[in-house]
Amino acid sequence: GRIVVLPSSLARPSMAADDTLAKLCLAWKCRNCEAECIPIGPSSTCMCDHRLRDHASGDHPKDFKCSVARCPCRRFVYLVSSGAWRTKCQCKHKHSEHAAVPPFACAKRDCPCTGFFSTYVCNCDHSWSDHVTAYIWKEFESLASRFAEGLADPTAVARDPERGAPLPEYR
């Protein structure tokens, strides 16, 4: 669950064409199998209990500081969650009962926990501690260039898989 900046992914890619966009994307990535297990989006939660949308963005992980007033969080660190469920620390306390900055020490009175550590196991079969919040440059190609190269068909019609008829919004 730590932040690790992957050196090869931090170098901004060279722009091959005018219609290619490079964007710094976040993912919860496994260090063992190299899988990008969970893509991190605007609604993803940080260990500081604020969403990614509440953090600044930019070209470097240092740019992702929390912008909520008085939050000490200096960089987005992904918290594994699904709906209302959030992973808890092995001390049985919630992330919100821990400090908002690494090592995320427990703030509960008389708790010996010195840092957030989850027993969660990912779908890739590796533990929470084998994962990092990764900042990865990705290139996106414009749809217009795909049309120009013949890789996309602008006349394609989305079809209802059950009836074979065009979907109502495409008629």
Side-chain angles (χ1 to χ4, degrees):
R2 299 173 293 153
I3 296 176
V4 171
V5 179
L6 306 172
S8 60
S9 63
L10 197 53
R12 188 179 192 130
S14 59
M15 302 300 274
D18 291 339
D19 51 2
T20 302
L21 170 72
K23 181 179 178 187
L24 188 60
C25 297
L26 282 71
W28 201 54
K29 186 170 182 168
C30 181
R31 290 179 293 153
N32 283 338
C33 65
E34 294 295 316
E36 287 181 28
C37 299
I38 302 173
I40 297 172
S43 297
S44 297
T45 305
C46 179
M47 286 294 295
C48 73
D49 207 28
H50 297 117
R51 307 283 183 168
L52 177 59
R53 73 169 66 90
D54 298 324
H55 288 70
S57 61
D59 289 347
H60 194 275
K62 288 189 228 170
D63 298 335
F64 286 78
K65 181 180 189 262
C66 188
S67 47
V68 173
R70 291 189 231 125
C71 183
C73 175
R74 295 182 302 270
R75 190 175 298 157
F76 186 89
V77 178
Y78 180 68
L79 173 74
V80 180
S81 60
S82 179
W85 177 84
R86 307 267 188 270
T87 188
K88 286 188 177 181
C89 182
Q90 66 181 357
C91 72
K92 307 288 188 229
H93 295 125
K94 299 180 220 171
H95 72 284
S96 56
E97 296 170 317
H98 286 74
V101 295
F104 309 107
C106 190
K108 285 292 218 181
R109 173 179 262 181
D110 299 325
C111 184
C113 175
T114 58
F116 190 93
F117 184 87
S118 177
T119 57
Y120 174 82
V121 176
C122 181
N123 287 338
C124 73
D125 286 333
H126 292 112
S127 69
W128 173 87
S129 61
D130 290 328
H131 289 76
V132 294
T133 301
Y135 293 74
I136 306 161
W137 279 103
K138 294 191 176 183
E139 288 188 3
F140 297 91
E141 189 176 2
S142 76
L143 192 54
S145 69
R146 294 193 55 81
F147 287 145
E149 295 170 6
L151 299 173
D153 182 2
T155 62
V157 177
R159 300 217 173 258
D160 182 332
E162 291 182 19
R163 295 185 295 216
L167 293 172
E169 63 268 20
Y170 293 100
R171 290 185 189 153

